[in-house]
Amino acid sequence: MSDVISKRGRGGLLVVGMLAAAMVGGLLSGLIARSTGPAVDSGSSVADGFFKAVNVNALATHSQEGMIMATGEMDSGLEAVYVLDALTGEIQGAVLNPQTRTFTGGFSYSNLMKDLGLEQIKNPKFVMVTGIAETRQGARGTKLGRSVIYVAELSSGSVAAYGAQYDPAKISSGTKFNYTLTPLDRFKFRQNVIRP
């Protein structure tokens, strides 16, 4: 019987210890931010520090037989989904409007093969993920969403980054839109092209 109580007691202590560590970490991060940066009016309570310490963003990526799908945050509480057709090298995307529960925003990009120098590659092998970046200004003053779409191709050793144009007024009004993704930059992670 004492073994059962001992195991339960250790489990409870583990949970209490994790919560205490998160609160201390949040408190310390708040103290460090206040001592090194400009003053911020956040209420400065232990609870503020705790909740900042456990704040997370969830992005998803999955691939299946020539199709890669990834989600990325456009703004707080607003997400876009992007689909890369690995056979054509085209990216299509959409934003699900939380007010209308319909896809009111769309994105497309058809120059991926050219961007990555894949015109001579017969069977490109793509990977696509999204990340968070506060690159709000795009070409000609357009506003970009918070997510960046990263596409890599194995044979060429190339990676390209793209932004998605974001117009909060169109989202709130439910106005349909379709934008072309904005190329941001690219680099090579391998200098020699692999020929299959």
Side-chain angles (χ1 to χ4, degrees), residues 97 100 104-105 167 169-178:
N97 189 312
T100 64
T104 55
D167 187 345
K170 288 189 178 182
I171 294 291
S172 62
S173 69
T175 305
K176 297 256 185 197
F177 63 86
N178 195 359

Side-chain angles (χ1 to χ4, degrees), residues 61 68-70 82-86 88-92 109-118 124-131 148-163 181-189:
T61 301
I68 303 167
M69 179 183 255
Y82 306 97
V83 179
L84 168 58
D85 182 339
T88 64
E90 294 182 4
I91 302 172
Q92 300 292 326
Y109 195 76
S110 59
N111 290 330
L112 181 63
M113 302 293 267
K114 183 179 177 187
D115 290 353
L116 297 178
L118 303 176
K125 294 177 174 58
F126 293 106
V127 175
M128 180 174 71
V129 297
T130 60
V148 175
I149 302 105
Y150 299 100
V151 180
E153 198 283 321
L154 181 64
S155 304
S156 66
S158 297
V159 176
Y162 300 91
L181 292 177
T182 303
L184 300 175
D185 203 2
R186 57 182 175 249
F187 75 93
K188 288 188 124 351
F189 64 88

Side-chain angles (χ1 to χ4, degrees), residues 5-182:
I5 293 171
S6 175
K7 287 180 183 177
R8 286 184 184 161
R10 281 185 281 184
L13 284 175
L14 178 63
V15 170
V16 169
M18 288 173 41
L19 288 172
M23 288 177 65
V24 169
L27 181 61
L28 289 175
S29 69
L31 290 172
I32 291 169
R34 280 192 286 282
S35 68
T36 60
V40 177
D41 182 22
S42 66
S44 66
S45 69
V46 175
D48 286 344
F50 173 73
F51 290 114
K52 285 181 186 173
V54 296
N55 188 21
V56 295
N57 290 311
L59 306 172
T61 301
H62 186 70
S63 64
Q64 182 81 26
E65 297 181 26
M67 181 188 81
I68 303 167
M69 179 183 255
T71 61
E73 190 175 32
M74 293 300 291
D75 205 347
S76 181
L78 186 66
E79 186 175 71
V81 61
Y82 306 97
V83 179
L84 168 58
D85 182 339
L87 301 175
T88 64
E90 294 182 4
I91 302 172
Q92 300 292 326
V95 175
L96 187 65
N97 189 312
Q99 296 170 6
T100 64
R101 298 181 196 153
T102 60
F103 287 110
T104 55
F107 306 98
S108 61
Y109 195 76
S110 59
N111 290 330
L112 181 63
M113 302 293 267
K114 183 179 177 187
D115 290 353
L116 297 178
L118 303 176
E119 293 92 344
Q120 304 304 318
I121 305 287
K122 291 192 186 219
N123 296 312
K125 294 177 174 58
F126 293 106
V127 175
M128 180 174 71
V129 297
T130 60
I132 298 290
E134 296 291 338
T135 56
R136 296 288 183 149
Q137 272 314 106
R140 296 177 296 281
T142 59
K143 203 174 195 182
L144 298 179
R146 291 187 64 194
S147 62
V148 175
I149 302 105
Y150 299 100
V151 180
E153 198 283 321
L154 181 64
S155 304
S156 66
S158 297
V159 176
Y162 300 91
Q165 191 171 336
Y166 172 61
D167 187 345
K170 288 189 178 182
I171 294 291
S172 62
S173 69
T175 305
K176 297 256 185 197
F177 63 86
N178 195 359
Y179 296 125
T180 300
L181 292 177
T182 303

